[in-house]
Amino acid sequence: MARAKEVPVPNTPARAQAALDADLPRALLGRTLEDLSWERPDPLTLFIPLIGIREDETRDSYLLRLNFLYYPDWPPSAQFVNPEARTYSYPDDILWLPKIEGTSEIAVHAQYDVPGGGKTQLICASVTLEFYQVLHAVAAHLVWDSKLQNFSATLAAIQRVLRKPYYKGRQK
């Protein structure tokens, strides 16, 4: 189980992959990666296309990269990426980040200070690895618990805020 204010430690790649392999069928619900347009370019990475729907029903496409090196003890790393480069570079790729307002569940920061130096994109929610890497405070009942959660919790939380009333279009 993850712990607040503790620096996450990577898992062994074999254990992380085994956990992802075990949880992936539950997330796919009988469908295939291809059915959902998900991609798995390596054993520990998923690219998942997501759609943000604005109040006026305008739709914006995003690509979410999940990395599972710390999984399942910690949630997956989650970042929105440029769909062509499949990476995120601040400030060039800021338009590939959704603007989320009016919820305390998730915030999306284009650039956030990491303790000890450096900066990262932060999907600020207790279901993402980066939340713990920046040593964010969190209520005990919201701490990632690998006995009760898998990466579907990460996806569900992000998908919830890509809808009205929280989704406000792309960041600029």
Side-chain angles (χ1 to χ4, degrees), residues 12-70:
T12 65
R15 184 167 179 264
Q17 181 181 345
L20 173 57
D21 289 344
D23 289 342
L24 191 55
R26 286 179 254 173
L28 293 172
L29 299 171
R31 300 163 293 184
T32 66
L33 292 171
E34 294 78 23
D35 290 341
L36 297 173
S37 298
W38 292 13
E39 294 177 38
R40 190 174 181 182
D42 63 60
L44 296 177
T45 304
L46 288 176
F47 285 106
I48 300 173
L50 298 173
I51 301 292
I53 304 173
R54 301 180 198 195
E55 291 275 348
D56 67 0
E57 300 301 321
T58 300
R59 295 172 178 262
D60 298 308
S61 297
Y62 294 97
L63 186 61
L64 183 70
R65 180 184 62 216
L66 298 180
N67 182 275
F68 294 84
L69 182 58
Y70 293 70

Side-chain angles (χ1 to χ4, degrees), residues 57-133:
E57 300 301 321
T58 300
R59 295 172 178 262
D60 298 308
S61 297
Y62 294 97
L63 186 61
L64 183 70
R65 180 184 62 216
L66 298 180
N67 182 275
F68 294 84
L69 182 58
Y70 293 70
Y71 193 74
D73 301 322
W74 300 89
S77 166
Q79 290 196 332
F80 289 99
V81 297
N82 176 321
E84 291 178 18
R86 303 208 170 226
T87 60
Y88 175 76
S89 177
Y90 178 85
D92 301 334
D93 294 326
I94 198 167
L95 77 124
W96 298 111
L97 302 182
K99 184 176 180 182
I100 307 299
E101 296 178 349
T103 179
S104 61
E105 183 178 13
I106 292 181
V108 179
H109 302 283
Q111 194 173 44
Y112 200 91
D113 291 332
V114 177
K119 296 186 182 289
T120 188
Q121 176 194 132
L122 176 62
I123 300 174
C124 189
S126 64
V127 292
T128 69
L129 176 68
E130 290 78 10
F131 178 89
Y132 297 95
Q133 288 177 322

Side-chain angles (χ1 to χ4, degrees), residues 111-163:
Q111 194 173 44
Y112 200 91
D113 291 332
V114 177
K119 296 186 182 289
T120 188
Q121 176 194 132
L122 176 62
I123 300 174
C124 189
S126 64
V127 292
T128 69
L129 176 68
E130 290 78 10
F131 178 89
Y132 297 95
Q133 288 177 322
V134 300
L135 303 177
H136 206 294
V138 61
H141 72 281
L142 296 175
V143 173
W144 177 265
D145 185 346
S146 61
K147 292 180 180 136
L148 302 174
Q149 295 172 291
N150 63 43
F151 78 93
S152 292
T154 306
L155 268 180
I158 293 170
Q159 288 175 318
R160 272 193 302 277
V161 298
L162 287 174
R163 303 286 180 266

